[in-house]
Amino acid sequence: MTNPHDGRAAQVPVEARQPDDLVERMQGGDLDAFEEFFNRYQRPIYATALAITRDPFLAEEVLQDCFVKAYRVRERLDPARSPLPWLQRVAINLCYSRVSRRKTLPEPITNLITNLVVDLSARPDQVVESREVLEVLQRGIDALPPKQQTAIILYYLHGYSLAEAAEIADCNVGTMKSRLHYALKALRVRLPVERRIPVGPALRVPE
Amino acid sequence: MKCARATRELLWLTRFGELGPSSQPHLDHLAGCPHCRDEVGFDRAMVQQLRIALAERIDTAQPSPHAWEVILERAQMPEPRGMDAVLHWSGALVARLRIATAMAGTGLAVLLALNMNVLPVAVPGESASEIEASSLLQVPRIPTDRTALVPYMVQSEASAEPARPDPEAALTNARSRASQRTETVVIESPSAIDTPFQLRVVIRLLQTPDPGQADARYEASEDGGTNSTPPVGTVSGEPS
């Protein structure tokens, strides 16, 4: 039995979570420090925003708002702690306020590209089945409640530990586990049902 | 250990990497239960697919190269705060209230106009010229033809037979009258549907029970020629 932490794609460099004097220098009004701060944390923040909104333009808006806010409240940041959990929390809140205002999610451009450049060397039925499963999962992720969606993005996409994910989501570890459990349960229930639905007219049995 | 419990606990343990020495009973069960192995295997495969699906969402996308410049410019601008923010929000609220009030007023005006018959409403039997005239005058139409059923009443009273004491015959006669009344009012006097009072009468007559039997009675009475006049007068004009 393997630990699910193993083999996890760690998109966030671990050293980015280590605090240093960057925040102190930024608090002193050093714009170079602010630029370094941005370069260090922009990628995980953008990834979170893009994973939630599925819209590159919206994700960039969230990124900008998040770092502008960080600069304005820099005096209140604790230099002894990594600012990343706080940045993630702000980004998540900004994402959900924008997504709820817009009500509908657009068809993501990345999905269209993936459909076009799908591996044609594989067997067509395997390609269709794999693509279908991923589509079902994408829709399932979109349909999850925001807290469960946040939990799986932090835990399975970013590779945060349960404790780190719980700190970002401002809850305890047990709650984080529960959110992950219910998110997976919802996806699991959704998966076999949707797989039985014909994708298009080509799959219908001729009478 | 039962399968349902074993599966539930195994899923929890494997998802969070919490298998340990205390999990030996679960592992023993797993070794001998193909159903639980399938469940745990399916869960692991789904988590792998979930990771791929999540990675697809971000793929290789990067923020635009101008993002830093925009952030720097915005960060150095003075932050709108206090009174400015209040004025901004109150201005937006007033604008929205204006639109909502205008829409509500328009809707109310339309409702009042329809309710007062100011707008032309098509009535069966009323010609287009009458509708146009009434709409030009803009005078609420007052129902004047309250006695539209009077001719039938008079006619029925003139031809009505004297009351018989036989209850079965009276019941048969009443059914026959019901079907005849319905057809008479609808066909011969459609323009009589003019007031709420008469409208209620027509609706009541249309709800005649057992129409097949009523039709048969009507045909029989026509053939006999003794009761062909619709005896509306006996129950007409009495709203229920």
Side-chain angles (χ1 to χ4, degrees):
Chain A
M1 215 49 64
T2 58
N3 188 326
H5 289 262
D6 296 338
R8 183 182 300 166
Q11 273 77 20
V12 184
V14 177
E15 63 271 17
R17 300 175 204 161
Q18 304 305 317
D20 54 13
D21 64 342
L22 194 60
V23 174
E24 283 179 1
R25 286 196 286 135
M26 203 169 78
Q27 286 172 341
D30 185 351
L31 288 178
D32 290 338
F34 182 41
E35 188 173 1
E36 194 181 336
F37 178 86
F38 171 75
N39 289 331
R40 183 179 293 184
Y41 298 118
Q42 61 156 323
R43 193 153 178 262
I45 299 302
Y46 184 72
T48 299
L50 192 57
I52 294 173
T53 64
R54 304 181 72 186
D55 180 345
F57 300 104
L58 205 51
E60 182 145 337
E61 271 184 37
V62 169
L63 178 80
Q64 290 179 8
D65 288 357
C66 188
F67 279 94
V68 169
K69 189 178 175 73
Y71 186 76
R72 286 186 175 151
V73 301
R74 62 189 182 279
E75 298 297 334
R76 281 185 268 161
L77 294 177
D78 184 0
R81 299 177 65 186
S82 169
L84 190 55
W86 179 84
L87 283 170
Q88 290 280 23
R89 204 179 310 150
V90 171
I92 288 165
N93 290 338
L94 287 170
C95 284
Y96 285 115
S97 65
R98 276 167 170 74
V99 167
S100 62
R101 213 181 298 157
R102 197 177 49 184
K103 302 290 183 193
T104 54
L105 290 169
E107 177 69 18
I109 297 169
T110 50
N111 269 14
L112 300 175
I113 294 169
T114 311
N115 285 336
L116 290 173
V117 299
V118 69
D119 182 14
L120 296 176
S121 61
R123 277 171 48 199
D125 56 340
Q126 286 177 343
V127 172
V128 169
E129 190 179 353
S130 172
R131 192 66 251 156
E132 191 184 346
V133 170
L134 289 175
E135 291 291 333
V136 170
L137 284 173
Q138 296 286 14
R139 285 198 294 274
I141 295 166
D142 285 337
L144 288 174
K147 286 178 179 173
Q148 293 178 16
Q149 205 179 43
T150 303
I152 62 162
I153 286 172
L154 294 175
Y155 188 70
Y156 289 116
L157 175 67
H158 286 299
Y160 290 120
S161 67
L162 284 169
E164 288 169 328
E167 185 191 352
I168 292 169
D170 199 18
C171 63
N172 59 41
V173 173
T175 307
M176 178 52 64
K177 277 186 191 176
S178 176
R179 287 177 188 174
L180 287 167
H181 177 73
Y182 282 108
L184 291 178
K185 192 176 173 185
L187 292 174
R188 193 183 164 91
V189 167
R190 194 181 178 90
L191 199 57
V193 174
E194 287 213 6
R195 282 180 73 177
R196 289 189 213 115
I197 299 170
V199 179
L203 294 181
R204 285 180 191 155
V205 179
E207 294 178 0
Chain B
M1 183 177 283
K2 288 185 179 177
C3 265
R5 183 184 161 198
T7 305
R8 190 174 62 246
E9 292 178 357
L10 275 166
L11 288 179
W12 183 274
L13 293 170
T14 53
R15 279 172 183 170
F16 305 118
E18 292 177 347
L19 283 171
S22 61
S23 312
Q24 193 57 44
H26 297 90
L27 294 175
D28 291 343
H29 178 87
L30 195 65
C33 179
H35 173 260
C36 287
R37 277 203 301 275
D38 283 351
E39 288 291 316
V40 174
F42 177 72
D43 198 70
R44 290 181 62 193
M46 189 188 72
V47 167
Q48 290 300 322
Q49 292 292 318
L50 177 63
R51 289 184 204 283
I52 295 170
L54 286 168
E56 260 189 10
R57 290 186 163 221
I58 58 171
D59 206 17
T60 55
Q62 295 281 342
S64 75
H66 305 294
W68 165 244
E69 295 164 19
V70 176
I71 289 168
L72 189 62
E73 188 182 344
R74 285 181 56 193
Q76 290 176 326
M77 283 169 62
E79 186 181 5
R81 64 172 72 203
M83 209 57 202
D84 290 344
V86 171
L87 286 174
H88 172 76
W89 285 109
S90 61
L93 184 65
V94 166
R96 287 183 185 186
L97 280 176
R98 261 188 218 144
I99 294 169
T101 310
M103 288 174 69
T106 308
L108 189 63
V110 169
L111 279 178
L112 284 174
L114 287 172
N115 208 25
M116 293 174 66
N117 267 347
V118 172
L119 294 178
V121 178
V123 176
E126 196 172 9
S127 66
S129 59
E130 285 172 340
I131 293 171
E132 190 179 357
S134 65
S135 64
L136 285 173
L137 289 172
Q138 294 194 346
V139 176
R141 199 156 42 81
I142 300 167
T144 54
D145 194 12
R146 282 186 179 276
T147 56
L149 290 179
V150 167
Y152 304 106
M153 294 171 67
V154 172
Q155 200 175 3
S156 69
E157 281 167 4
S159 63
E161 294 176 5
R164 288 179 292 184
D166 185 4
E168 189 176 348
L171 179 63
T172 307
N173 202 13
R175 284 178 180 164
S176 172
R177 285 172 193 165
S179 66
Q180 289 161 19
R181 278 199 307 273
T182 301
E183 291 190 5
T184 303
V185 172
V186 172
I187 294 167
E188 291 187 20
S189 183
S191 63
I193 308 170
D194 210 4
T195 66
F197 170 76
Q198 288 167 0
L199 190 62
R200 279 201 298 275
V201 171
V202 170
I203 288 169
R204 183 175 169 230
L205 294 176
L206 284 171
Q207 293 171 344
T208 306
D210 198 359
Q213 192 177 355
D215 287 346
R217 288 287 177 185
Y218 181 51
E219 285 169 13
S221 65
E222 274 191 340
D223 290 338
T226 56
N227 196 18
S228 60
T229 307
V232 182
T234 51
V235 290
S236 68
E238 295 296 332
S240 58

